[in-house]
Amino acid sequence: MQSLKSAARRGAIISVTAVSALALASCSAGHVTQTAEKVAAVDGASASTDDNKVAVRDVTILVEPDGSAALKFSAVNQGYDTDVVSLESVKVDGQSVEMKQTKPLHRDQSIIADSQKNLEAHPQQDSETVQYIATKLKNDDFGYAGDRPVTFKFSNGSVDVNATIAATQMQSGEFDRDVESPEGYSEAPKD
């Protein structure tokens, strides 16, 4: 038979342990973590028209090593089946973006725009729902990591975003880092 003191001691230890575990578990309950609401830093700007029928995503001004520039973006019609919208124009800081005329977008159809070089380097979906459009832009002294205002004019409204200026992503294995080169890289040796 156990003494009352040792049984009380064990009960007290179990109670303290349970209360401690409960207190520690409730410490973070209801708190939003620091990363819960963060967006990836590499994605471009995103916005929608006021009626929320057209969304533009990943809006980025790309500057090539040769100084040429392009506007990268995706636009999607997320309206109802009867909603057909057209992209009428795109301007970067007042400058018109050069691109061919796009077809009207029906529900769930999209436009993927990028430089001609990047479009050629990446596989394209063979689909009636996606239009691939090459864009060109006069390099108006775009500085990496800066931003410029971009205005998309659709038949149902406008979208304004601030687009980050970035370098085009280089193809893996085609370039070596070269501190002596004015561009900062050189072509990788061919095997």
Side-chain angles (χ1 to χ4, degrees), residues 5-6 13 35 80 82 109 113 115 130 135 165-166 175 186-187:
K5 278 187 176 182
S6 68
I13 292 172
T35 58
Y80 296 105
T82 57
Q109 291 185 338
S115 69
V130 180
T135 63
I165 301 165
F175 300 95
S186 63
E187 287 194 24

Side-chain angles (χ1 to χ4, degrees), residues 6-132:
S6 68
R9 202 174 293 138
R10 278 192 206 141
I13 292 172
I14 291 171
S15 297
V16 168
T17 304
V19 169
S20 298
L22 186 61
L24 287 173
S26 66
C27 229
S28 64
H31 291 274
V32 177
T33 63
Q34 287 182 329
T35 58
E37 306 266 335
K38 294 204 179 205
V39 177
V42 295
D43 290 340
S46 299
S48 298
T49 53
D50 287 339
D51 60 8
N52 212 25
K53 290 181 181 173
V54 179
V56 292
R57 303 283 183 253
D58 199 18
V59 183
T60 308
I61 299 166
L62 298 176
V63 179
E64 299 285 347
D66 65 4
S68 63
L71 184 68
K72 175 185 172 191
F73 68 91
S74 299
V76 64
N77 180 348
Q78 55 190 19
Y80 296 105
D81 286 338
T82 57
D83 295 327
V84 179
V85 295
S86 299
L87 176 59
E88 296 174 354
S89 67
V90 183
K91 292 186 177 185
V92 174
D93 206 10
Q95 177 192 163
S96 292
V97 175
E98 293 178 42
M99 60 186 192
K100 74 176 188 176
Q101 184 65 40
T102 60
K103 298 176 202 165
L105 295 173
H106 294 266
R107 178 177 171 75
D108 292 332
Q109 291 185 338
S110 59
I111 297 168
I112 306 293
D114 208 330
S115 69
Q116 183 66 44
K117 180 181 170 185
N118 287 345
L119 288 175
E120 291 170 0
H122 293 91
Q124 296 183 4
Q125 181 180 0
D126 187 20
S127 168
E128 294 292 320
T129 63
V130 180
Q131 298 176 55
Y132 294 93

